[in-house]
Amino acid sequence: MADKKLFCANWKMNKTVEEALVYIKNLTTILKEEEFNAQDIIIFPNLCTIDSLWRTIGFYHYNIKLGGQNFYPVKSGAYTGETSIDILKSIGIEYFLIGHSERRHILGETQDFIDKKVLFAIENKVKIIYCFGEKLPDRKDNKIEEVIKQQLNVFNTIDLTNDIYFAYEPVWAIGTGIRATKQDITDMTTLVKDISKGKISKLIYGGSIDDKNVGELSNIKNISGYLVGSASLDPQKFAEIVRKG
Ligand code: PGA
């Protein structure tokens, strides 16, 4: 049997509790049990909906994992408005997104802070989806290698285990409808392999993936899944992505 692929639905700041529960009901009606079992599916919901989703998924034994979109890299304490890994683990979160472009470029997370999150997550033995990718000017100025090296630098000192996925998400492809080409993605797999001296192998792709274009990417060597934003908000589209990817 072919290796399982990873399909991540990043809901960002969308869906109320009711909408989230209706979504799960629809997704589990559209996809058959064997289709769920053939792949790994993780939903990254909004913080407030996680608990209800976790209870529903657990009650019906759906084969869906839950991920956290964010956490603050300390154990606990006086950090108003923030959430810890321990709190998220207590409501069923197994995976954590780190370095997403919206946290870097809209919420102001620096590479230093992102590195801290990586080290803290590893110390706390949780699974990571680490996002990285260049901006359009980096590409135009031939700076892709420099930027990616900087974003992956923290992993040089880390013994990489199976619990880290690396999501190549070029910033210019996120939410724009302009997906990276097969060649762009293949080039990135080679670059990452070179930079990491072969240590990084679990690569996924994100950026304007939808049910119409995912099929073209399905046979890229060394891409083991997708991180999907907008198209993952519609259970029908997300189910098609899981089928065709
Ligand atoms: P998109 O988002 O699929 O809407 O481009 C991807 C992401 O932000 O992970």
Side-chain angles (χ1 to χ4, degrees), residues 10 12 100 102 169 173-176 206-209 227-231:
N10 180 9
K12 309 187 180 184
H100 190 278
E102 283 144 23
E169 296 212 299
I174 298 179
T176 58
S208 294
I209 284 287
L227 179 49
V228 190
S230 340

Side-chain angles (χ1 to χ4, degrees), residues 38-121:
Q39 312 290 12
D40 288 319
I41 295 175
I42 311 174
I43 293 179
F44 293 82
N46 181 268
L47 197 57
C48 301
T49 62
I50 294 172
D51 188 51
S52 311
L53 284 174
W54 178 51
R55 287 172 201 280
T56 305
I57 287 167
F59 185 79
Y60 291 105
H61 301 290
Y62 295 139
N63 201 355
I64 299 172
K65 302 259 189 300
L66 290 173
Q69 295 179 16
N70 188 34
F71 65 91
Y72 195 76
V74 297
K75 203 85 189 137
S76 61
Y79 300 93
T80 301
E82 295 295 332
T83 305
S84 74
I85 283 185
D86 284 352
I87 294 170
L88 288 166
K89 269 163 74 177
S90 75
I91 48 170
I93 294 293
E94 290 180 51
Y95 291 80
F96 290 84
L97 282 182
I98 301 181
H100 190 278
S101 122
E102 283 144 23
R103 299 228 45 101
R104 291 177 189 267
H105 304 300
I106 302 177
L107 284 316
E109 289 191 4
T110 61
Q111 189 60 50
D112 273 358
F113 184 69
I114 291 165
D115 292 351
K116 259 191 208 140
K117 291 175 91 170
V118 168
L119 297 172
F120 189 77

Side-chain angles (χ1 to χ4, degrees), residues 161-225:
T161 65
N162 285 340
D163 290 342
I164 307 179
Y165 276 92
F166 290 82
Y168 173 49
E169 296 212 299
V171 179
W172 47 270
I174 298 179
T176 58
I178 305 167
R179 198 207 64 205
T181 63
K182 221 169 157 170
Q183 192 60 49
D184 295 332
I185 302 171
T186 306
D187 290 349
M188 186 52 64
T189 62
T190 310
L191 179 63
V192 168
K193 209 170 154 207
D194 287 354
I195 291 176
S196 72
K197 300 191 179 60
K199 269 177 36 173
I200 294 179
S201 58
K202 286 189 153 188
L203 270 173
I204 64 175
Y205 169 79
S208 294
I209 284 287
D210 64 29
D211 49 324
K212 306 274 183 311
N213 67 25
V214 71
E216 287 164 46
L217 305 182
S218 64
N219 60 358
I220 302 183
K221 216 171 140 230
N222 298 330
I223 285 292
S224 35

